[in-house]
Amino acid sequence: MDWQFTHDAIYGAFTREPWTHQSRSVAQICDRFNGGLRSLVLGAVTASGKGLMTTALVNLVTERGGNVIIYNPRRLLTQQSLDRLKADGIAAGARAASLRHKVAHNANVQIAQMQTDIHRVIKQERWNIYDADLVIVDEAHMMLSPKPLELLQRYLANGACVLGMTGTPIGMSGAYRDIVVAASNSELRACGEHVPAKCFSIHEMDVSKVKKEKTGEYNEGSIVRECWSHAIVGYIYDDWRRLNPDALPTLCAAPGIGESTWVSDMFLKIGHRVAHIDCEKVIVNGETYPNDAAGEVR
């Protein structure tokens, strides 16, 4: 496929007014592919508008008679991709076990779940790879294990270009040849999608309370008790009230589900309205709502 596009063609591929970094990123992707690169990562952090850039790339390829397949690692993301393209006026078929009613093998745009294609193309050999000119891999940092990479290698061998999209493009040089950075934090602040951050540190740990082994090394259990239980967890509420005296709505990103529910329970017992959200359930003010297949509860 010819990846040489004019500025007007790129701008016209967007379904609404793009930000400068969005049109620039799509132009850079096209330039790299036009220059001979076959695999590329788009580093697009949260709120940089990855969905709109995806739509623009799909429109550019399909307007030249090409085919596009978009891979997702999770069922919820697969449905979201399908819904987003539909909202932008793009009809797509689905290659996903959870969307059997959407299968349309002849559609020039496909939304696929990586696990389904690995099973049916590689393990069972029931399907061939899709005849794609462009393969987009959403959340590409999650699909670096051998089987996803084997599937992508089949596309490369078939002449397709592969574009990985991720907000965390770390450790991906073995699978992708180059990177396009969608936007800087300052650009996202300028267009109103990011806000300036004020950073504060946790209470300092009192190392005098940490026991030492005979070797002189700090005792691991003692570190956990003093650092995690007291300096970090124990002061969350006090620090929250000190830094947020008006008790404005707050997001807390915990290191795990157990820690998140612990923090939620602590705030609830004190008398605050609180919700915990994970991939399986939502807990609102102590009442649990199991997540549904369509992700509507979440």
Side-chain angles (χ1 to χ4, degrees):
M1 176 181 155
D2 181 8
W3 282 94
Q4 189 167 2
F5 294 95
T6 66
H7 176 271
D8 289 344
I10 291 172
Y11 188 84
F14 286 89
T15 52
R16 56 184 180 274
E17 185 77 20
W19 289 316
T20 300
H21 71 263
Q22 291 175 319
S23 57
R24 180 189 67 225
S25 296
V26 171
Q28 288 177 344
I29 290 167
C30 293
D31 285 345
R32 303 285 177 86
F33 286 151
N34 189 52
L37 270 179
R38 298 280 303 287
S39 62
L40 184 65
V41 169
L42 175 66
V45 299
T46 300
S48 57
K50 182 174 59 177
L52 185 60
M53 289 185 278
T54 298
T55 294
L57 286 165
V58 169
N59 284 334
L60 287 171
V61 173
T62 56
E63 284 171 4
R64 289 194 171 174
N67 298 329
V68 181
I69 187 167
I70 302 172
Y71 280 103
N72 292 282
R74 292 176 178 163
R75 182 168 55 187
L76 178 61
L77 296 177
T78 304
Q79 182 65 57
Q80 287 177 347
S81 292
L82 199 64
D83 293 342
R84 184 184 65 237
L85 290 182
K86 182 179 179 180
D88 285 337
I90 299 172
R95 292 166 66 101
S98 60
L99 295 169
R100 292 184 180 89
H101 61 291
K102 293 288 187 179
V103 171
H105 291 295
N106 294 326
N108 62 350
V109 180
Q110 298 284 335
I111 304 296
Q113 196 160 343
M114 180 62 76
Q115 295 88 336
T116 298
D117 257 18
I118 287 174
H119 191 69
R120 294 178 181 175
V121 174
I122 296 177
K123 295 182 179 179
Q124 294 183 333
E125 298 183 346
R126 288 171 50 198
W127 289 0
N128 294 320
I129 60 169
Y130 180 63
D131 185 21
D133 297 280
L134 175 63
V135 180
I136 297 177
V137 185
D138 196 14
E139 303 294 346
H141 63 281
M142 298 176 64
M143 291 184 271
L144 296 174
S145 55
K147 288 301 181 185
L149 293 183
E150 180 183 342
L151 187 65
L152 296 181
Q153 283 299 323
R154 293 194 184 192
Y155 278 107
L156 290 169
N158 206 41
C161 290
V162 176
L163 176 67
M165 290 186 170
T166 176
T168 51
I170 299 171
M172 302 179 70
S173 59
Y176 297 91
R177 296 291 303 278
D178 204 353
I179 183 170
V180 168
V181 178
S184 64
N185 288 327
S186 58
E187 285 179 304
L188 292 172
R189 287 195 296 269
C191 66
E193 286 302 302
H194 278 192
V195 296
K198 296 179 180 179
C199 298
F200 304 89
S201 177
I202 61 172
H203 281 69
E204 291 186 8
M205 181 174 64
D206 184 357
V207 294
S208 66
K209 297 180 181 180
V210 180
K211 296 179 181 179
K212 290 186 177 182
E213 305 283 2
K214 292 180 180 179
T215 59
E217 298 292 331
Y218 287 113
N219 178 274
E220 186 175 346
S222 183
I223 291 174
V224 170
R225 281 195 304 275
E226 298 300 330
C227 181
W228 173 247
S229 302
H230 297 285
I232 299 177
V233 174
Y235 294 118
I236 284 180
Y237 186 76
D238 292 342
D239 284 343
W240 180 73
R241 289 312 303 257
R242 176 174 60 86
L243 299 171
N244 184 20
D246 296 324
L248 297 173
T250 304
L251 292 174
C252 173
I257 292 175
E259 294 86 348
S260 176
T261 54
W262 187 91
V263 173
S264 299
D265 290 342
M266 176 178 66
F267 274 73
L268 183 63
K269 289 174 182 177
I270 295 171
H272 295 284
R273 293 173 299 169
V274 60
H276 157 88
I277 303 174
D278 63 51
C279 61
E280 296 181 350
K281 62 186 175 299
V282 176
I283 305 174
V284 181
N285 296 329
E287 186 171 355
T288 300
Y289 301 86
N291 195 26
D292 59 301
E296 292 179 2
V297 169
R298 180 183 170 97

